[in-house]
Amino acid sequence: MIEVLFFGCFLTFVNADGVADVVLSCSLVEEGAGLGGMGGGALFTRTPATLVLRDVPVGPDESLDTLTPFVPPSVPDPDLILFENKGDSFFLQRLASVSVKSAPFVLNLSRSVPAVSSAEIPNAVMLLHADCNELEVMCEISRYAPRGLPERSDPAYFMVSLSVEGLDISTSLILQTLPVEKDQSTLTQNKLSLPLSQSGTLQTKVIFLVFSNINSVSAPLRGDVLLNCGFKQEETSLAPEVGLEWRLQHRGKGRKVLEMKRELDNTEGATVVHGERKGSSVDAAQALREGNVSMSLTELKVGDEGTYICTVNLGNFHAQQVIQLHIVQPPQVSLSEEKLILQKSSPQTLSCHCAKYYPLDTQMEWFFLPPTESEPKLFPNQGSLSSHRQHGDGTFSLSSHITIPPSFSPGTKITCKVSHPAMDEPLYVSIVVESPQPDSYWWVLGFLVVTVLFFYQVMK
Ligand SMILES: *[C@@H]1O[C@H](CO)[C@@H](O)[C@H](O)[C@H]1NC(C)=O
Ligand SMILES: *[C@@H]1O[C@H](CO)[C@@H](O)[C@H](O)[C@H]1NC(C)=O
């Protein structure tokens, strides 16, 4: 699967009654006909396309009052690819409520509405006063062939992959074209050979979608995680049974994690859940009631890391979501010495140990702060690193060794700073260098003096 970010924009037009038209600039992705690349896979062609999501309910928001509904081009153009979603956009309520409330407006008309020139959007200029916030929307549309149906069936189907960077929203939806009443004036879309509506749009409805509200999750080793995935379908069920599969893909290897089969309208019906990984589960009741097929994993191991693919099958249709799971475990940090007493003649070694962390990237830095100064300084020589050790559970350990010269002044504070992706802030461990001890000769002498004084007192 290719993944190319399309720098698109959300453009929202609001009608008086709290519904908005969301206009997305997308690309129509097609396999290049007869241009199968050698070894590099098929070539894909991309054509700009626009997806208009009509009448998406939005919450009350003052700044939206001045916006107007989306107006299709006055003269239909068979070269434009303008998908218009007429069905009740059940899922988009969620999308819109998130995106509109957090105001991710990017109002670049030249870019977001390639199918419509600004002249045809009344009040377009007024849109521009809204706070603009660059936001990447990836929207890709491709032809979708349901399993078991002829490739160019009527109605036609399209798969739309939609994700909004920074909002962690990702949806795959299947559009079905609506019947068009044809007469002599009916135009046919040049590229797709599909009849256009009077206004030059391809009228569609969303029949099925799979979504996730998180694209990437981090969880601690031995912890639990819920990988979010849900599906929705139109009112009349597409199939009597829903099939779910969760797979894990990592470093070129793939395996099935969990599988579920469930009859949709028979609440008594048997559910077959087969978890290949111990501690993986899906709430079958919730899957049935709400279409929530999130999978929970317990007792996470390093080997659970990777790309999870949630696939929902409904009869001839299937759609997926992809979620990255990262395992993170902060290091246990310690110094080799509890006390560091300077020796008159020989330098001393101090080690900073980072134990049992994951992933590998950790950074250790040494600082020193002489008692006479206020700012710690970086050691000119950052010491030597041991090689990484990997433990049975996949975690790593690493040590850094530094040499403390005898010339250091007592009272100097030595700090090891450790940074690791599992910790928001670096961790510091410090030790204060102590003055050399008095020679043992003086200890013996002192002890003798005390003893003599003691006996002197007793014998008196
Ligand atoms: C709008 O998009 C066009 C095409 O990508 C770009 O050339 C232009 O600079 C953009 N304008 C703003 C204000 O971002
Ligand atoms: C599924 O349910 C869990 C709570 O049980 C919730 O946190 C999550 O957001 C739900 N996911 C979907 C896709 O509805």
Side-chain angles (χ1 to χ4, degrees):
M1 197 176 119
I2 54 158
E3 238 179 287
V4 179
L5 270 187
F6 184 77
F7 293 82
C9 309
F10 257 124
L11 197 56
T12 316
F13 300 83
V14 176
N15 299 326
D17 45 354
V19 290
D21 296 343
V22 176
V23 181
L24 299 169
S25 55
C26 304
S27 28
L28 180 75
V29 182
E30 290 169 298
E31 224 167 306
L35 288 170
M38 293 207 309
L43 289 170
F44 289 91
T45 61
R46 301 178 154 267
T47 316
T50 301
L51 176 61
V52 182
L53 305 160
R54 285 278 193 196
D55 295 344
V56 176
V58 291
D61 193 325
E62 275 174 67
S63 68
L64 301 175
D65 289 351
T66 50
L67 308 185
T68 53
F70 172 74
V71 179
S74 50
V75 183
D77 180 350
D79 282 324
L80 294 180
I81 308 174
L82 187 54
F83 288 89
E84 186 176 10
N85 175 53
K86 279 282 193 181
D88 56 329
S89 316
F90 49 83
F91 85 100
L92 281 157
Q93 303 173 5
R94 196 181 131 273
L95 182 68
S97 66
V98 178
S99 62
V100 171
K101 281 188 193 123
S102 56
F105 288 102
V106 184
L107 301 166
N108 187 339
L109 296 174
S110 61
R111 188 152 56 153
S112 35
V113 197
V116 187
S117 76
S118 329
E120 272 133 4
I121 309 171
N123 301 328
V125 186
M126 293 175 75
L127 298 173
L128 295 168
H129 79 273
D131 267 3
C132 291
N133 216 344
E134 277 290 320
L135 203 82
E136 280 173 28
V137 179
M138 191 210 79
C139 173
E140 283 186 353
I141 305 178
S142 52
R143 273 270 190 175
Y144 178 81
R147 267 183 302 231
L149 293 188
E151 200 164 318
R152 292 284 138 119
S153 61
D154 184 27
Y157 297 95
F158 292 89
M159 168 71 78
V160 183
S161 302
L162 202 60
S163 61
V164 187
E165 197 141 297
L167 285 178
D168 249 357
I169 296 174
S170 173
T171 309
S172 299
L173 45 119
I174 296 177
L175 296 179
Q176 185 185 61
T177 53
L178 297 178
V180 176
E181 278 191 32
K182 288 184 209 162
D183 55 33
Q184 320 81 300
S185 68
T186 303
L187 294 171
T188 301
Q189 211 292 324
N190 286 343
K191 200 166 182 66
L192 299 167
S193 311
L194 292 171
L196 293 172
S197 69
Q198 292 298 324
S199 53
T201 62
L202 286 162
Q203 303 210 329
T204 59
K205 62 173 178 173
V206 178
I207 56 164
F208 173 41
L209 66 108
V210 176
F211 65 97
S212 178
N213 56 20
I214 189 120
N215 303 331
S216 173
V217 207
S218 294
L221 198 66
R222 288 175 285 278
D224 302 342
V225 75
L226 185 75
L227 300 175
N228 212 294
C229 185
F231 73 95
K232 283 182 191 286
Q233 59 171 329
E234 62 174 349
E235 213 85 66
T236 46
S237 188
L238 295 168
E241 191 184 69
V242 60
L244 167 72
E245 188 188 80
W246 275 97
R247 284 185 73 77
L248 167 61
Q249 206 73 35
H250 192 49
R251 302 219 164 108
K253 286 204 199 104
R255 68 182 147 93
K256 197 191 292 172
V257 180
L258 182 141
E259 197 176 24
M260 186 187 89
K261 269 201 169 36
R262 176 79 219 218
E263 277 179 50
L264 276 170
D265 25 323
N266 182 359
T267 39
E268 318 272 89
T271 309
V272 187
V273 182
H274 179 59
E276 309 242 328
R277 178 204 184 274
K278 210 173 141 231
S280 62
S281 62
V282 165
D283 184 337
Q286 209 181 21
L288 202 63
R289 221 173 36 240
E290 304 160 20
N292 187 338
V293 289
S294 304
M295 175 175 67
S296 80
L297 296 174
T298 56
E299 277 289 310
L300 289 172
K301 296 179 205 65
V302 164
D304 289 320
E305 189 168 70
T307 305
Y308 284 81
I309 303 155
C310 165
T311 307
V312 181
N313 290 293
L314 279 172
N316 299 322
F317 300 92
H318 73 281
Q320 309 181 312
Q321 278 299 303
V322 170
I323 301 152
Q324 303 290 337
L325 174 64
H326 303 282
I327 302 290
V328 288
Q329 184 67 21
Q332 296 161 11
V333 181
S334 61
L335 288 175
S336 57
E337 313 293 330
E338 272 173 14
K339 242 169 132 62
L340 192 74
I341 297 160
L342 282 175
Q343 303 287 322
K344 275 211 177 112
S345 48
S346 56
Q348 302 227 66
T349 301
L350 182 65
S351 306
C352 186
H353 303 301
C354 286
K356 306 216 119 193
Y357 58 86
Y358 192 87
L360 194 55
D361 9 306
T362 184
Q363 206 195 348
M364 285 188 257
E365 280 176 298
W366 289 98
F367 293 89
F368 69 102
L369 175 65
T372 50
E373 306 203 9
S374 55
E375 282 295 309
K377 292 191 232 168
L378 206 62
F379 262 79
N381 175 352
Q382 282 292 303
S384 57
L385 287 177
S386 67
S387 56
H388 283 103
R389 266 186 303 131
Q390 189 162 19
H391 303 276
D393 61 1
T395 58
F396 297 98
S397 290
L398 180 70
S399 302
S400 172
H401 313 288
I402 196 139
T403 308
I404 317 286
S407 56
F408 258 54
S409 11
T412 300
K413 190 174 172 188
I414 299 174
T415 303
C416 171
K417 174 185 171 188
V418 176
S419 316
H420 186 265
M423 308 185 294
D424 295 333
E425 301 276 318
L427 211 117
Y428 299 88
V429 281
S430 305
I431 193 166
V432 176
V433 175
E434 294 177 25
S435 22
Q437 292 210 337
D439 283 342
S440 53
Y441 164 78
W442 291 103
W443 278 105
V444 175
L445 195 73
F447 180 73
L448 276 178
V449 170
V450 170
T451 318
V452 167
L453 281 175
F454 176 76
F455 279 107
Y456 176 76
Q457 288 289 328
V458 171
M459 318 271 263
K460 218 169 51 171

